Amino acid sequence: MVHGAPVYSSIPFGEYTHIDLSESKKVDGYIDFVSAVDIPDENQIGVIIPDQPLFADKTVRYIGDSIGFVVAETHDAAILAAKAVDIKYTEKTPYYSIDDSREATENFIHESNLACHHKVRKGDIHKGFEESDHIIEAQFVTPFQEHYYLEPQACIAIPNGPDKIKILGSIQCPFYIQKAIARVFDWPYENILVEQAPTGGAFGGKEDIPSEICARAAVAAMKIQRPIKVVYNRNDDVQLTSKRHPFQMHYKVGVKKDGTLISSEILLEENAGAYATLSTVVSYRSCAQAMGPYVIPNIHVDSNSYHTNLPTTGAFRGFGSPQAAFGHERMMDVIAEELGIEPMELRLKNILQPGDQTQTAQILNNSVGAEDTIREAAKLANWETYTPNNDGRYKYGLGMSAIHYGNCLGAAGWHMDGSGVNIKLFPNGNVHVAYGLIEMGQGSETVVRQMTAEALGVSIDRITVLPTNSAQVPDSGPAVASRNVVMTGNAIRNAAEKIQPILKKSAAELMGCKESNIDIKEDYVQDSDSGTKMMFHELCDYLSKSNMDMEFTGWWHTPELEYDAETGMGEAYFSYSFATQIAKVKVDSLTGQVDVQNIYAAYDVGKAINPSGIEGQVEGGSAQGIGWATTEDLKMQDGIVQTPNLTTYLLPTAMDSADVETAIVEKPEPEGPWGAKGIGEPSIIPTAGAVANAVSNAIGIQMNEIPLTPERVLNALNLRRLKQDIVSC
Ligand code: MOS
């Protein structure tokens, strides 16, 4: 096996004119350099919009944009040789901010600087504003967030003859990689075998990005016909790969005196970076959820994603939902303050109930536990009786944040929202299950084991979950959007529906009883009439000896959705998870330091398949949300990330994370397996809004931009002192 390292643009925008390899070739162990000229078929890696070459074809659009790939005998030699490639450029003036990108009239990054646009048009907002007693406006800003999975991007590409390859990687989406490589080589999918290696974190950062890394390694591996390993070092990982989209948001909301929401006009603007990647998903989702889990008769939303000459932004736990949630939940507190209404009362007044319409006019009849999550979280936090003493240096506050999250890929991604499993019984009663989604630390393997055991009626000890491999199951779509429990759970149930009749028929034969009387549960097969029992493994042994089929597939796709992309109206998602988080903070008014002491959370997950797994997700999601809201401050200067390591980019540690208490609300979802809905992303979505609301409440200043670093909080406090001084003199 040999090693590869990326060669990338050192300028933010322009064209490369010359590549000089002479110094690179002098590095001991140098083998080869591949670039655009080595691509067998299509030089394209764009996952949704075809705007991104696998290797730059002259034009480079950010510092980190791929130009080539050096192969060498060792990892260190590859890195050295990659750095020694000398590239000449002609430069163009780069764009870094949303505002500059939007205002550009020439010198566009692509055909235009607008990466994508989504909208919602419901009711008559102008009439709605006329009918309102108050019209309240506010702007909100959220920053980049780096995934900072502890294991960097990594893969191995192993050629298998002239037209086949195997990929092993730290990845979220095996089938994305299969498609990406197929396109670059013009091969059928089955020539590309993709297997997920145990993956040390992802959070969306290993959704589409590994496709480019694996495809580049594949091009090089096929060219030199040797296995190649690529492991990014941390600096490159941070500079080259995607982040959470920064948002700037403008909310204008009309309300009645009593707090009833009447009309809303919302503009969301996103910094997409150099390529569209998954911006369309982020833009679509944030647009559809922009007003949160509330009833509103008139609403216009525009969500615009703008290209800049920065690293791409894409999938990151929630796909734009945490940003939109920051907008709608800060807005609810701003409205509450203006109207003098208690923030929980304002939310309860407008919260979605069964039978209500979402902002996209989708009627939700089932599994709407939104109000319960508010009440449960409030109970945990003692919301109604909390009265801190804020006379001293330390100021305390509570902040509430309520959200909804559309499960799975939604109307825009419906065509790929199906997933499969393959379940195999062995004569000794053991069971292997292969599935198309993946374990990335979220506990997927555990729930797949649980759900398989439950569906078959056997002990969980019998179940082995196989590493995810593209050859074992049909294309199951991406392992994203909190899909696993819902998709895989339903696919398992579908397989079990095929297995059960065969098991029952054989059991009836063996036990000499009626098929309809056979009950299989907890590892026993029982004739409910006579009470006779045998063990599950005895039945499997009989199946095997009587030459029966012992391998079964299961499949499930999300229900069809009626949705009009032109107006953004209709069924955006088939089902929604609901949640409320309340943050309790302590703010040091001398230093501006924010300490998030507690998160009180309540989640409507339909049915808790694994309650402690849900608590784990909420703890992890809250920690990541607290980081985004307070300490994680990704600095860019001239297109270069200034905070590429843990010394400068402050991830919350156990000491910074809050004490998290979680209440589970179960409003069964008829389409969910056993009634379940997703939890992975909902776990982070409300946190930043809750923290910012709590800080605003503690210090009495509306904090509409995160991260709430000590500097930002202190500046706000100082500005108020200054204003008070001016007033008093
Ligand atoms: Mo995640 S944003 O669903 O990869």
Side-chain angles (χ1 to χ4, degrees), residues 172 203-205 207 315-319 405 479-482 681:
Q172 255 177 276
F203 310 114
E207 176 172 346
F316 194 149
R317 206 175 197 170
F319 280 122
Y405 178 80
V480 304
S482 311
E681 292 170 299

Side-chain angles (χ1 to χ4, degrees), residues 33-76:
F33 171 81
V34 296
S35 64
V37 298
D38 297 295
I39 293 179
D41 198 64
E42 201 184 341
N43 184 9
Q44 184 52 246
I45 196 72
V47 59
I48 296 172
I49 297 172
D51 68 347
Q52 187 175 5
L54 180 64
F55 290 117
D57 181 16
K58 299 292 179 217
T59 302
V60 287
R61 297 182 173 88
Y62 75 102
I63 294 177
D65 208 349
S66 175
I67 292 175
F69 190 79
V70 161
V71 186
E73 293 291 349
T74 65
H75 176 75
D76 290 351

